[in-house]
Amino acid sequence: MTTPANYRKGSTWLQTSPVDFNHDLTSADRIDELISEVPELKIPFPGVWEISYHARSYTGGTATSDQLVRTALFKNRSVLIPGIEALTGGRAVMQTTAGQTILEKFDANDVITLYAFRFGQNPAAVISNGDGRTGVMAH
């Protein structure tokens, strides 16, 4: 039986499974929302991990009004992981997939979660389906 205690350190990949969802961002401007449809990743052993994500966002900007979506990963649902933020959107209705990859130190059982917020009051969402996926990975 393979357990976190006997994994070959540095050779374990964690990845969320593909899911279909449409998460409308409804919080006030610049207030982070947990994208609960994306499963959290639990780090099985301590060390420096390469973490990566991609998030498909929808922004409903107009010719006179920007709409932006910022996505980011958090550690233990409370600490923004610096340098992992990505921003999409503008003065048009658009869907884009953006993300980041960085190295970060984790303790055993730390949890990684995806959050997003919107700049502006036009419609905005984080989406995942067969036309474009949202997911989180760690190695």
Side-chain angles (χ1 to χ4, degrees):
M1 174 185 221
T2 301
T3 65
N6 63 14
Y7 283 160
R8 287 180 30 215
K9 293 187 176 21
S11 65
T12 300
W13 281 97
L14 307 172
Q15 181 170 324
T16 58
S17 297
V19 292
D20 292 347
F21 68 86
N22 182 346
H23 182 109
D24 290 327
L25 297 174
T26 58
S27 292
D29 194 45
R30 299 180 189 213
I31 301 297
D32 281 301
E33 292 183 38
L34 173 66
I35 308 303
S36 58
E37 297 86 352
V38 176
E40 63 184 27
L41 291 183
K42 184 183 272 189
I43 300 297
F45 53 81
V48 175
W49 286 72
E50 177 184 69
I51 56 171
S52 179
Y53 78 97
H54 48 275
R56 177 179 167 204
S57 64
Y58 165 84
T59 54
T62 68
T64 58
S65 177
D66 283 334
Q67 183 61 55
L68 304 170
V69 170
R70 194 238 29 209
T71 52
L73 296 178
F74 278 63
K75 185 187 299 186
N76 299 323
R77 292 191 177 196
S78 63
V79 179
L80 172 67
I81 300 171
I84 198 77
E85 308 93 334
L87 185 66
T88 57
R91 289 191 171 195
V93 173
M94 64 179 75
Q95 293 186 33
T96 52
T97 302
Q100 297 284 3
T101 300
I102 65 167
L103 298 174
E104 179 73 14
K105 183 181 179 297
F106 291 94
D107 294 324
N109 299 315
D110 278 346
V111 174
I112 302 169
T113 48
L114 179 65
Y115 281 75
F117 70 65
R118 62 187 179 150
F119 292 92
Q121 296 305 312
N122 294 319
V126 175
I127 303 167
S128 184
N129 63 30
D131 295 324
R133 293 288 181 189
T134 295
V136 180
M137 290 74 45
H139 177 257

